[in-house]
Amino acid sequence: LDLSDSESVENPVILPTSWHQLENCDVYRVLRVESVAEQIILSHLQSDGSVEILPNELASEIQMAANAPNVVALKSIIAYRGSLDVTPYSNFSVPQDQWKSALTSCVHDGRVRLSEKVILDFVFTVAVKISTERGLPLQIHTGFGDPDLILHKAN
């Protein structure tokens, strides 16, 4: 049994899922929800030059990724990227003015990095909903690893 969370990460040190499959065992995926959201936003940016994606569209696309047959758990970096002081967005209703400015702030040099609290909290809310509905574990990564870690907010 091999659990891999490498599929949504662009890092030359982390081996891809295809490598793990060479181990002659079952390979399952731990879905990194923020990485998936970043990829979704980036694909919208690359397709039409805009980061205009509505919250419910983003939620729907994250749900589709989580429905892949090899996904057995979700992983969030909310604790050290934003904080554990999460604002839950019931019914995925996010103030549109905050949403649009936050999306724009996450794009730098053609790359997307979720850093705005409103989006981080929204993506975490989506992850909790998916985890609850599907009975999947949700790992909240709180350890070191990000240069912008604020330890007292992640604890």
Side-chain angles (χ1 to χ4, degrees):
L1 174 66
D2 185 348
L3 296 177
S4 170
D5 70 350
S6 62
E7 198 164 311
S8 58
V9 178
E10 291 182 27
N11 184 331
V13 176
I14 298 175
L15 297 169
T17 301
S18 57
W19 181 88
H20 292 271
Q21 292 168 333
L22 296 174
E23 297 174 344
N24 197 25
C25 66
D26 293 332
V27 178
Y28 297 97
R29 184 170 176 207
V30 177
L31 188 75
R32 295 177 174 222
V33 292
E34 289 86 1
S35 295
V36 169
E38 288 171 346
Q39 290 174 348
I40 292 166
I41 294 167
L42 181 61
S43 72
H44 280 261
L45 178 65
Q46 291 171 338
S47 70
D48 64 9
S50 162
V51 291
E52 294 291 320
I53 180 170
L54 296 173
N56 62 339
E57 292 174 311
L58 183 60
S60 177
E61 292 192 40
I62 293 170
Q63 176 75 50
M64 286 190 325
N67 284 338
N70 64 337
V71 171
V72 295
L74 306 177
K75 178 179 181 176
S76 175
I77 57 173
I78 186 72
Y80 67 88
R81 183 77 60 90
S83 83
L84 290 175
D85 183 18
V86 175
T87 301
Y89 290 103
S90 60
N91 301 322
F92 305 131
S93 58
V94 180
Q96 286 302 305
D97 56 332
Q98 289 180 24
W99 181 260
K100 287 182 180 183
S101 68
L103 279 174
T104 302
S105 297
C106 290
V107 178
H108 302 282
D109 300 323
R111 300 190 71 195
V112 176
R113 184 175 189 276
L114 297 187
S115 56
E116 297 295 320
K117 185 158 176 40
V118 67
I119 297 177
L120 289 166
D121 288 359
F122 176 79
V123 170
F124 184 73
T125 302
V126 171
V128 169
K129 182 177 187 299
I130 293 168
S131 175
T132 302
E133 288 175 352
R134 294 210 35 226
L136 296 175
L138 173 59
Q139 177 195 4
I140 301 173
H141 185 68
T142 58
F144 295 105
D146 235 0
D148 54 358
L149 169 70
I150 303 169
L151 187 57
H152 73 277
K153 289 186 176 182
N155 190 350

